[in-house]
Amino acid sequence: METTTIDEVQALEARHVLQTYKRSPVTFVRGQGVRLYDADGREYLDLLSGIGVASLGHAHPGLARAIADQAQTLIHTSNLFYHPLQGQLAERLARLSGLPRAFFCNSGTEAVEACLKFARRYWHARGEPRAEFIAFENSFHGRTFGALSVTSNEHYRAPFEPLVPGVRFVPVNDPKALLAAVSRSTAAIIAEPIQGEGGVRPLTPAFASAITEAASNTGALIIADEVQSGLGRTGYPFYAPVIGLHPDLISIGKALGGGVAVGAALVSQKVADTIAFGDHGSTYGGNLLACRAALCFLDELDTGGLLGRVALVGDHLERGLRAMAARHPLIKEVRGAGLIWGLELTRDAAPVIQQGLARGVIVNRTAETVVRLLPPLVITEPEIDEALGRLDVAFGAVGADE
Ligand SMILES: Cc1ncc(COP(=O)(O)O)c(C=O)c1O
């Protein structure tokens, strides 16, 4: 690879990369575990893992070996043919989720898109076409048209309207409003068990039980979007059942490939029974490389004992964050579970992110006032202490400026 200076990297992007991202001025060139290194050799503790993707940390030896081996064997053949890994991955996901069938795609938004289409397909097959979806305020489900249509943020939606019609947004954690909104025209209710981009806001069990009640009153399907909250992030395979939600469809992505692009829609048998050949598809979805990476991640998660460890280190992280909140009055609330946490601030979170970066810790801002943490699932207690030490200094610097 040609070596270039940071200025050259940034200038080249400024000329040729579509300017949809406002990047922080850092160029990462290497990673190891929970650490990232920039082009100047500076080290950072990564409490974000590429927005919940680098679940096994960076340059994980087992994942690197699996990907290299698969690349030297066979990467892609398309879904016109069988290969040995897709069924194995689907079986593993079925065991984890309780939903027997998987459709593979390449990202979170495609997983949501598939769930929305399968919900429509279900009602079409029953001869009772239902077009409406119920979604929630503060929701984020992705950027393609269907997923964007059930995403509440006006800033993301407005430039692209008209979106898919028939979506109603209901205030989150408001059981009465939900029960009033869901009807026999509702195809599905789509919920993030923990709203991630919306500011790390878990649904309450009372709200989850209202979703269940509304669905059983009307037949509406339940879609749990676990792209961010799923696959061990909370210390559980999925967060929906933890709050008492039993979805007909689950969307997953992010952590599944440990950095290799792979997503999936997990589907109940009653929905799967309404899907026919040709109803949906993807050229890349579930190719050998993606499945091999995902199988390696799942090996670590269950047989490798990662899931149990997340619960333990998650408790440690929570204690550290609550202690930090007690020291810094600008932290109003601490929300989350396992290794997904949001610190709600009394102000814009951007300066904390910048100060953190300057001190070698990576977190990000979401919903304007929230500092979000999504560390690699392999993070250890000493690494958490070291990272929180740096974040504490960053909070001190921002607090001192007030
Ligand atoms: C809950 C949820 N759904 C869907 C998506 C979209 O995933 P992707 O960016 O992989 O398309 C995200 C991304 O942040 C998400 O958090």
Side-chain angles (χ1 to χ4, degrees):
M1 225 189 313
E2 213 178 310
T3 52
T4 43
T5 67
I6 302 169
D7 288 349
E8 283 168 345
V9 167
Q10 293 179 7
L12 190 60
E13 280 212 7
R15 278 200 303 279
H16 293 298
V17 175
L18 195 66
Q19 296 294 293
T20 57
Y21 302 109
K22 193 160 178 259
R23 304 194 202 280
S24 296
V26 182
T27 303
F28 290 118
V29 293
R30 186 167 75 80
Q32 190 66 60
V34 303
R35 291 171 206 270
L36 281 170
Y37 299 86
D38 72 14
D40 295 325
R42 280 197 63 207
E43 171 252 17
Y44 300 76
L45 280 160
D46 182 5
L47 293 187
L48 190 61
S49 55
I51 325 184
V53 168
S55 45
L56 300 180
H58 303 287
H60 183 273
L63 181 60
R65 260 196 313 276
I67 293 171
D69 178 65
Q70 195 59 53
Q72 284 160 2
T73 308
L74 191 59
I75 291 179
H76 178 88
T77 54
S78 90
N79 283 306
L80 298 178
F81 307 100
Y82 290 95
H83 69 68
L85 305 181
Q86 209 177 101
Q88 288 176 29
L89 179 57
E91 184 187 31
R92 297 281 292 274
L93 290 168
R95 252 189 278 140
L96 273 184
S97 67
L99 296 180
R101 289 184 186 271
F103 172 86
F104 291 104
C105 53
N106 315 287
S107 65
T109 199
E110 286 173 77
V112 169
E113 210 69 34
C115 288
L116 297 173
K117 283 184 70 179
F118 296 154
R120 283 268 183 91
R121 181 68 176 99
Y122 170 83
W123 289 108
H124 180 85
R126 291 171 63 101
E128 188 194 332
R130 293 190 183 189
E132 283 184 21
F133 293 103
I134 299 292
F136 300 117
E137 289 175 6
N138 301 317
S139 62
F140 183 88
H141 298 289
R143 307 293 199 133
T144 51
F145 265 104
L148 183 61
S149 302
V150 290
T151 290
S152 70
N153 189 325
E154 266 310 304
H155 179 74
Y156 297 152
R157 298 167 58 86
F160 304 103
E161 285 172 344
L163 301 178
V164 175
V167 179
R168 288 178 68 181
F169 291 98
V170 171
V172 76
N173 289 334
D174 183 342
K176 258 205 197 134
L178 176 77
L179 288 164
V182 179
S183 73
R184 292 194 172 273
S185 305
T186 307
I189 304 164
I190 179 162
E192 295 159 87
I194 299 179
Q195 293 186 313
E197 304 298 310
V200 190
R201 297 169 200 280
L203 298 191
T204 60
F207 193 57
S209 97
I211 294 174
T212 307
E213 186 185 333
S216 75
N217 288 346
T218 60
L221 298 172
I222 299 173
I223 303 171
D225 182 354
E226 296 251 25
V227 166
Q228 195 160 147
S229 58
L231 299 168
R233 174 59 54 195
T234 63
Y236 300 92
F238 296 97
Y239 201 65
V242 177
I243 54 170
L245 206 55
H246 299 285
D248 303 285
L249 297 128
I250 300 178
S251 50
I252 56 173
K254 288 192 185 286
L256 183 59
V260 174
V262 51
L266 308 180
V267 181
S268 67
Q269 193 58 45
K270 91 173 176 195
V271 175
D273 285 342
T274 66
I275 309 292
F277 290 133
D279 276 347
H280 198 39
S282 162
T283 298
Y284 287 115
N287 76 14
L288 290 106
L289 189 75
C291 288
R292 184 73 184 270
L295 284 164
C296 174
F297 166 69
L298 292 180
D299 279 346
E300 295 291 326
L301 190 69
D302 51 24
T303 31
L306 194 55
L307 195 57
R309 282 200 46 248
V310 170
L312 296 177
V313 294
D315 285 348
H316 186 76
L317 178 58
E318 178 176 7
R319 278 194 300 277
L321 291 173
R322 294 203 183 281
M324 195 152 66
R327 283 193 297 278
H328 299 285
L330 80 160
I331 305 175
K332 249 186 2 189
E333 198 182 1
V334 179
R335 296 187 293 260
L339 288 175
I340 172 170
W341 290 95
L343 307 175
E344 176 86 51
L345 308 190
T346 55
R347 52 163 297 163
D348 182 0
V352 176
I353 311 312
Q354 285 152 13
Q355 289 290 340
L357 209 53
R359 285 160 179 79
V361 62
I362 299 164
V363 288
N364 96 314
R365 166 188 183 257
T366 190
E368 285 165 32
T369 53
V370 178
V371 175
R372 177 174 49 171
L373 288 79
L374 293 165
L377 304 183
V378 295
I379 197 167
T380 62
E381 296 190 357
E383 287 165 341
I384 286 172
D385 293 343
E386 195 182 349
L388 291 191
R390 296 181 190 183
L391 196 57
D392 198 55
V393 179
F395 269 112
V398 174
D401 273 355
E402 295 233 297

